[in-house]
């Protein structure tokens, strides 16, 4: 690691990216963009970890995405994600 870390300045970043890709849900082809939902609901963005936590507590699998930090990959139906966002807006006017 030290050898490559000295030769490739972005080596640590690449290692982190590969680790993130390995943690993504493989069977879920699409991700949900929280920023699009926030624009639609006209609210401030919730911490993406809070949304991931709510989905996991509801019994669904959830992960981050490597492409955009605020996107969420989940096996939850979209209506569940929408309901969680609606509850967030209700609790955080």
């Amino acid at each position: 690691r030290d050898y490559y870390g000295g030769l490739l300045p972005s080596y640590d970043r690449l290692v982190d990216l590969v680790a993130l890709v390995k943690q993504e849900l493989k069977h879920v082809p699409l991700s949900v963009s929280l920023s699009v939902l926030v624009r639609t609901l006209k609210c401030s963005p919730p911490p993406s970890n809070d949304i991931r936590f709510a989905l996991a507590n509801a019994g669904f699998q959830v992960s981050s995405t490597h492409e955009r930090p605020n996107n969420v990959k989940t096996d939850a139906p979209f209506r569940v994600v929408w309901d969680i966002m609606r509850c967030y807006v209700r609790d955080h006017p």
Side-chain angles (χ1 to χ4, degrees):
R1 182 173 180 138
D2 292 332
Y3 174 76
Y4 289 113
L7 291 177
L8 301 171
S10 59
Y11 178 79
D12 290 335
R13 203 167 151 226
L14 288 172
V15 169
D16 292 342
L17 180 62
V18 169
L20 185 59
V21 169
K22 285 181 177 181
Q23 293 173 0
E24 281 186 24
L25 296 176
K26 306 294 186 249
H27 66 282
V28 179
L30 302 175
S31 62
V32 176
S33 172
L34 296 181
S35 58
V36 170
L37 291 177
V38 164
R39 280 194 304 261
T40 302
L41 292 168
K42 296 179 177 58
C43 66
S44 60
S48 54
N49 283 339
D50 290 356
I51 301 302
R52 284 189 206 97
F53 185 73
L55 288 165
N57 278 341
F60 297 101
Q61 292 183 328
V62 63
S63 71
S64 301
T65 66
H66 69 279
E67 63 221 8
R68 296 206 171 131
N70 287 334
N71 285 12
V72 174
K73 284 182 116 178
T74 181
D75 60 353
F78 184 74
R79 65 180 166 73
V80 173
V81 177
W82 185 254
D83 286 344
I84 289 171
M85 288 299 295
R86 281 184 29 233
C87 289
Y88 174 80
V89 170
R90 182 193 66 214
D91 296 343
H92 301 85

